[in-house]
Amino acid sequence: MYLFSEGRLIGIHSEDSKMSTGFKQVPAFSHPPDSWHTINWSAVDRKVRGLQVRIAKATRDQRWRKVKALQRLLTHSLAARASAVRRVTENRGKKTPGVDGELWSTPQAKWLALGRLKSKGYRPAPLRRVYIPKPDGSRRPLGIPTMRDRAMQALYLLALEPVSETVADRNSYGFRPWRSTADAIEQCFVNLSRKHSAEWVLEGDIKGCFDNISHDWLLANVPMDKQVLKKWLKAGFMESHRLYPTEAGTPQGGIISPVLANLALDGLEKVLESHFGKKNTKASYKTKVNYVRYADDFIITGISKELLENEVLPVVSAFMAERGLTLSASKTVVTHIAEGFDFLGQNLRKYNGKLLIKPSRKNLQRHLKKIKDIVRRNCMSRQDVLIHQLNPVLLGWANYHRHVVAKETFGYVDYRVWKLLWRWSCRRHSNRQKRWVKKKYFHSVKSENWIFQSTLMPGKPVRLQSSKDIPIVRHTKIRAEANPYDPRDEQYFESRLERSWEASTKGRKKLQTLWKRQGKRCPMCRGLITWETKWNIHHVVERHKGGGDELSNLVLLHPNCHRQWHSQQEKRSPVSHLGGL
């Protein structure tokens, strides 16, 4: 079992050579924390989660005054402030500063930040404007808030997300917890795959969605502190040392921006149902209007082209106009399913009445171009360096498409990669025979030949991953009405987490064993360990003190909990942390 002292893990006790699956944890701290590493994260998560569940319940009952009171209670609590600071100092943007150049990279800076997250006298700084390239060659503006503004947005997001999840459209899948593009594609399959399914599809494209959402609509309809929201919307941005005001839109790059965009776009599904009937009703069978949205990309199915162009499109346009948005005339088109259409990087098309979903041609071309650019940049690099750069790209793309009909495409990608690498190898040794080049760079592994593998380090060969080795597995779509803030759905989400974890850690038996042994949770804070939270593998007895990599000496901890553990260990005697082993 896991042994704790003052709410912290101090060791693992093995009984009869088998690990116990039970957890034993003492109550929360008897005194308030006085530094970042003395925060009881288990108590923090319980406090935040409890208030979020109450906010979701009040939203479901449409008790908006209760929602407002609970949101205020949450945003003024120390637990929520600590959770917000933890989020912005552990995500991917933690090393990207705003206009003030400030980063919270030390425990002392994080602790002092808790006292700065107050709405009274709060004034956000302008965003730092940068540009990121888009696939079509243009550039998308991105606004980077300061660390304080990011933390304030994360704080109010804790109170806003339970509301947005409760009122969200059933078939909205973008920027929502536990939902993915695979869920959206699977819903498209449900709507289009049957023999008598709708055969016409309206592909919707919103012109500059994030940049044009009406501020007046957001201030009138988003259930959060209006003064704070208005300050964020009107903060402006800095570019070339010059301040530019913002009159519309939500800044791309802010933590709360995706949820604000979702709230603006939510409601279209109910509007369509009021005009064309709810699903599985007589009216819906006549029109077959179904709606699927991921972020600002959406499709609407219909029984005929005329229905979509003359009846559905005006309803959608009127809905968007209320929010200051317009549809792109050139990109909003109606397509027959036999011609096929691209959605979220995949192509959906019926071949002789059978719906097949494949990686889209454009998506495949971008993927191959990215691989080619990596190979060109590494003309003089070592083989293992090139492999380490290619593997994440190959595996990431293949894992994205592994839920659809992609086996043939995977084989084509492997062939194109082989041609690139063979040319790369031959150019490095133009004065050598091809047989010598093959022997140096390509090897036989078991029954496979022509494996691009580096053997510079004896006993640790570095092998290029093959796309065709990724198995095709049908994705299980999330239940449309499932709400992560509803206690009735908690077991459902845990079972989905377990299935996805097992699928994504296939072949990593030790990691699976540790995760299951701990009940899917970090033994220090009792929070779930997921791909989003990340994890560290902790040695109960450090290796420099004789500890090994056997399962009985390993524990999975959240990164912040792992740092907290080592911080507290430094304050204890050298052997106190081994008590109970």
Side-chain angles (χ1 to χ4, degrees), residues 368 409-421 468:
L368 293 175
T409 308
F410 287 175
Y412 175 71
V413 168
D414 288 341
Y415 166 70
R416 291 287 300 272
V417 170
W418 175 84
K419 286 190 69 175
L420 284 170
L421 296 178
K468 63 179 173 50

Side-chain angles (χ1 to χ4, degrees), residues 27 33 67 152 202 214-215 294 378 447 508 515:
V67 168
M152 284 293 286
L202 170 67
S214 168
H215 285 182
Y294 187 92
N378 289 274
S447 61
R508 303 172 69 179
W515 190 70

Side-chain angles (χ1 to χ4, degrees), residues 28 59 61 63 98-99 162 188 237 241 275 287 330 404 413 421 427 456:
T59 303
D61 299 337
R63 301 171 59 194
V99 293
C188 292
F237 62 90
H241 306 287
H275 282 80
T287 59
S330 59
V404 300
V413 168
L421 296 178
R427 283 181 174 175
L456 287 177

Side-chain angles (χ1 to χ4, degrees), residues 100 356 495:
D100 59 357
L356 296 182
S495 65

Side-chain angles (χ1 to χ4, degrees), residues 6-249:
E6 294 185 354
R8 292 183 293 271
L9 175 73
I10 61 171
I12 300 178
H13 181 61
S14 178
E15 296 178 357
D16 300 328
S17 301
K18 294 183 180 180
M19 299 302 302
S20 169
T21 58
F23 294 91
K24 180 181 179 182
Q25 189 171 16
V26 299
F29 293 104
S30 57
H31 53 82
D34 55 10
S35 66
W36 180 256
H37 284 313
T38 59
I39 295 175
N40 186 337
W41 292 108
S42 177
V44 164
D45 292 338
R46 283 198 307 271
K47 173 79 171 179
V48 172
R49 173 70 179 177
L51 286 171
Q52 287 179 321
V53 168
R54 293 174 64 189
I55 291 171
K57 184 178 184 301
T59 303
R60 200 162 51 246
D61 299 337
Q62 296 188 351
R63 301 171 59 194
W64 299 111
R65 293 182 65 183
K66 183 72 170 178
V67 168
K68 184 176 180 180
L70 290 171
Q71 285 181 325
R72 178 178 172 80
L73 185 62
L74 178 59
T75 55
H76 285 71
S77 68
L78 177 63
R81 281 182 282 152
S83 183
V85 172
R86 178 176 60 176
R87 174 169 179 171
V88 300
T89 55
E90 292 187 6
N91 60 14
R92 292 172 59 185
K94 63 184 178 182
K95 296 182 180 179
T96 306
V99 293
D100 59 357
E102 183 181 8
L103 292 176
W104 296 342
S105 55
T106 65
Q108 178 68 10
K110 297 174 187 178
W111 177 251
L112 293 176
L114 297 182
R116 298 173 60 190
L117 302 187
K118 296 179 180 178
S119 58
K120 187 176 181 180
Y122 169 65
R123 184 178 180 182
L127 305 174
R128 181 165 71 90
R129 173 65 65 91
V130 297
Y131 293 89
I132 55 177
K134 295 175 68 174
D136 59 2
S138 60
R139 297 192 304 167
R140 171 182 290 135
L142 188 70
I144 302 177
T146 63
M147 290 298 294
R148 184 192 181 196
D149 293 337
R150 270 179 259 177
M152 284 293 286
Q153 290 188 18
L155 175 63
Y156 280 87
L157 179 60
L158 291 172
L160 184 60
E161 197 169 61
V163 178
S164 67
E165 282 298 303
T166 305
V167 302
D169 289 339
R170 295 193 310 277
N171 291 304
S172 162
Y173 298 97
F175 302 126
R176 295 181 61 188
W178 296 92
R179 300 188 180 222
S180 65
T181 54
D183 292 307
I185 293 294
E186 189 64 25
Q187 183 61 35
C188 292
F189 182 85
V190 170
N191 293 339
L192 296 165
S193 61
R194 297 182 179 87
K195 183 178 179 181
H196 300 291
S197 296
E199 295 186 343
W200 291 91
V201 179
L202 170 67
E203 303 173 60
D205 185 271
I206 303 172
K207 190 184 296 183
C209 176
F210 281 87
D211 297 327
N212 295 308
I213 298 176
S214 168
H215 285 182
D216 292 337
W217 190 93
L218 289 173
L219 290 170
N221 294 277
V222 174
M224 65 167 288
D225 190 314
K226 308 297 183 185
Q227 294 300 319
V228 173
L229 177 58
K230 185 175 181 179
K231 290 176 182 178
W232 286 335
L233 295 176
K234 304 296 184 182
F237 62 90
M238 294 289 293
E239 186 174 6
S240 301
H241 306 287
R242 186 176 175 184
L243 177 63
Y244 294 87
T246 49
E247 301 300 332

Side-chain angles (χ1 to χ4, degrees), residues 361-376:
R361 183 182 295 273
K362 290 182 180 179
N363 187 270
L364 174 61
Q365 289 173 347
R366 285 199 299 268
H367 178 56
L368 293 175
K369 184 180 183 303
K370 188 174 183 179
I371 294 171
K372 189 175 182 178
D373 291 342
I374 293 174
V375 175
R376 282 182 172 176

